[in-house]
Amino acid sequence: MMKTELEGEALVVGDNIDTDMICPGRYLELTDQKEIGSHCLGGLDEKIAANFPKGGFVVAGKNFGCGSSREHAAIALKEMGASAVIAKSFARIFYRNAINLGLPLIVCPRAADEIQNGQRLHVDLSSGLITNMTTGKTLKAEPFSEKALEILSAGGIIQLMKKKHCKA
């Protein structure tokens, strides 16, 4: 079950962060999800995952997750400890993969321009409000669809299907 209110520190990256930057191709043979997460954003800097503040947010510009449709990219972000990714826009397939894996992707066109590295954020997934606790400013993100919120609340599409169709 996912929390709908999240708090953490921001890591700001740029535009057009592709799936090979998020999870470099040399790690695609890995199957241990924790190990996949330990290489997250290695295409930008190999030290990011080791130093990422657990529960933090990746904040990006436009077209985050472009490139190939590898699930490893969303897995890497989640296992690195990101509670969500906030960006101006996302590649469509990456967006769907991440939501299905239980990783919230928050569309907020102004976030990359208004949030800086290390600033503390409070995100309310239900209302779409992002509060920069460092500056006091609040940004409004695009709302999630009812179905996306249901998937995220369950912790991912597999967990949702188990909940709906498997009686324990």
Side-chain angles (χ1 to χ4, degrees), residues 94-145:
F94 176 79
Y95 185 89
R96 198 67 217 163
N97 281 339
I99 297 296
N100 284 343
L101 289 168
L103 176 67
L105 299 186
I106 301 164
V107 179
C108 183
R110 292 179 33 222
D113 299 326
E114 305 234 2
I115 297 170
Q116 296 177 8
N117 267 332
Q119 291 182 329
R120 190 134 187 95
L121 307 177
H122 177 271
V123 174
D124 184 332
L125 296 176
S126 297
S127 68
L129 293 178
I130 301 167
T131 303
N132 186 326
M133 297 166 69
T134 306
T135 65
K137 289 185 181 179
T138 299
L139 302 171
K140 179 73 174 150
E142 290 182 12
F144 285 104
S145 70

Side-chain angles (χ1 to χ4, degrees), residues 2-91:
M2 166 168 245
K3 298 187 307 185
T4 59
E5 293 199 30
L6 310 168
E7 275 190 28
E9 202 174 296
L11 168 71
V12 180
V13 296
D15 293 333
N16 301 309
I17 303 299
D18 66 36
T19 54
D20 200 48
M21 291 176 194
I22 300 167
C23 184
R26 63 188 171 274
Y27 302 116
L28 292 180
E29 291 183 14
L30 297 176
T31 57
D32 180 89
Q33 292 190 357
K34 294 282 183 213
E35 192 173 353
I36 292 167
S38 73
H39 300 288
C40 189
L41 295 168
L44 294 175
D45 182 341
E46 287 289 341
K47 297 176 193 148
I48 288 176
N51 297 312
F52 188 79
K54 298 303 176 214
F57 300 96
V58 175
V59 179
K62 64 183 179 184
N63 204 26
F64 188 88
C66 57
S68 69
S69 62
R70 62 183 71 159
E71 276 188 339
H72 273 59
I75 291 167
L77 287 158
K78 193 171 179 180
E79 291 299 325
M80 176 180 71
S83 58
V85 180
I86 303 166
K88 287 184 180 185
S89 64
F90 294 93

